[in-house]
Amino acid sequence: MSRTMLRGLGASLCASARRSAFAGGGRMRGRAISTPAAPVPRKWDVFEADSSMYMPANSTSKLVVFVRHAEGLHNAAHEENEKLFWSEMWNSPKLWDAPLTDLGKEQSRLLGEELMNEGVNVDLVVVSPLTRTLQTAALSFGAVDPMVPMLACETCRERIAVYASEGRSKTSDLVVHWPKVNFSEVVSEEDPMFEHKETDEAVGERALLFLDWLMKRPEERIAVVSHSVFLQQLYMQFQDTLPKEFFEARQDFAKMKVVVVCPANGGKGEAQ
């Protein structure tokens, strides 16, 4: 296929996907999707995509590779002894900003191999500023391309509930440990977010704000390394265009889901 044809394919994918998603009885990638009874006004549409999709220069759409972090110490603690976890560990300082387990590091390495084998390349890696996401990003995307820019962003952090693992380390410590990551978007030394607990609905609203921020970025192919609840709530905002497996269960450790994000109804990213 010629580059001209690929350019046309990339430019028209959102339009064709939108037609398939919203046409009564239509199908997208072989899955039947019914027409929403009352479409919710929003800025963006999100569709499942392939990492090899060509993105034309100056496109109003972006290819986004969403990745959940690999297994963290808190995940392993819950899996190994659920009773002990709920009696002692869930709010233990030992699990504050929980790092990856050895298994999690291996999962990240295997993700890097998958990225290389599938030829996944991105212009930017946006990463939650928690240790487990930073480790996952460095051991996968960073291993495949040591020069890929990485930018920490608080808005794609995990839901803030009651767990010590949701807390963030001091920014000055993170800067020392992760010199290749840009922390300019993390403006507080301490962690003010941890004091403000969130419902799932609040996380969904934050996810939409994150998408607004992401779509203002100049890069066209972006990876986002984040967390299970945050990603699930983001996907749930687009239940009419994404396959059910995106949001019915939480994303597996160190696994990626690829989407294309484009202005809603062919607009410019303004609520329709």
Side-chain angles (χ1 to χ4, degrees):
M1 183 178 290
S2 68
R3 190 173 183 84
T4 300
M5 293 175 67
L6 284 170
R7 181 180 296 272
L9 177 62
S12 64
L13 180 115
C14 281
S16 61
R18 189 179 291 113
R19 286 194 296 270
S20 297
F22 292 104
R27 290 182 177 270
M28 182 176 181
R29 294 179 68 100
R31 300 178 182 88
I33 302 177
S34 59
T35 303
V40 178
R42 64 190 182 203
K43 296 180 181 180
W44 314 108
D45 283 332
V46 178
F47 301 97
E48 184 179 22
D50 188 273
S51 61
S52 63
M53 175 183 166
Y54 173 67
M55 297 299 294
N58 302 316
S59 172
T60 58
S61 303
K62 294 189 189 300
L63 187 81
V64 185
V65 181
F66 286 115
V67 173
R68 182 191 177 186
H69 65 79
E71 183 191 65
L73 192 62
H74 61 305
N75 303 124
H78 180 270
E79 182 69 20
E80 291 168 4
N81 192 328
E82 187 173 349
K83 184 177 180 180
L84 177 64
F85 179 86
W86 287 114
S87 63
E88 299 180 18
M89 298 298 293
W90 63 276
N91 65 347
S92 170
K94 295 180 180 179
L95 293 183
W96 182 268
D97 194 7
L100 296 182
T101 61
D102 288 342
L103 175 59
K105 293 175 183 178
E106 176 64 11
Q107 291 170 340
S108 301
R109 187 188 67 79
L110 291 174
L111 171 61
E113 290 185 1
E114 183 180 2
L115 296 172
M116 185 174 297
N117 292 337
E118 294 192 12
V120 178
N121 54 76
V122 296
D123 307 314
L124 174 71
V125 178
V126 175
V127 56
S128 160
L130 299 191
T131 296
R132 57 190 177 273
T133 39
L134 290 163
Q135 288 177 303
T136 302
L139 293 170
S140 55
F141 290 96
V144 173
D145 181 4
M147 300 303 293
V148 66
M150 294 194 184
L151 176 63
C153 178
E154 297 258 45
T155 318
C156 64
R157 281 177 58 174
E158 182 60 300
R159 174 191 58 189
I160 308 297
V162 298
Y163 308 105
S165 59
E166 294 159 353
R168 170 175 65 76
S169 298
K170 292 182 178 181
T171 305
S172 58
D173 292 337
L174 294 172
V175 169
V176 170
H177 284 99
W178 304 100
K180 293 185 177 181
V181 178
N182 181 346
F183 286 94
S184 61
E185 296 279 341
V186 183
V187 296
S188 300
E189 167 71 355
E190 303 294 338
D191 182 11
M193 286 183 66
F194 190 74
E195 301 304 320
H196 302 280
K197 308 307 181 186
E198 296 177 298
T199 62
D200 285 352
E201 291 74 17
V203 178
E205 293 174 3
R206 173 157 61 87
L208 291 177
L209 292 175
F210 171 75
L211 211 57
D212 290 346
W213 173 85
L214 194 73
M215 293 300 287
K216 292 177 183 177
R217 297 287 313 175
E219 299 85 3
E220 295 172 346
R221 306 175 70 88
I222 303 175
V224 176
V225 184
S226 185
H227 307 263
S228 62
V229 176
F230 177 84
L231 292 174
Q232 185 179 38
Q233 291 303 314
L234 188 154
Y235 301 148
M236 288 185 71
Q237 310 309 307
F238 303 95
Q239 294 183 49
D240 54 340
T241 57
L242 287 175
K244 289 183 178 180
E245 56 262 32
F246 268 69
F247 51 82
E248 285 191 338
R250 294 181 183 176
Q251 196 160 327
D252 289 338
F253 294 128
K255 295 299 182 183
M256 59 180 173
K257 293 184 183 293
V258 184
V259 302
V260 61
V261 185
C262 45
N265 300 318
K268 297 181 180 180
E270 300 176 353
Q272 301 297 305

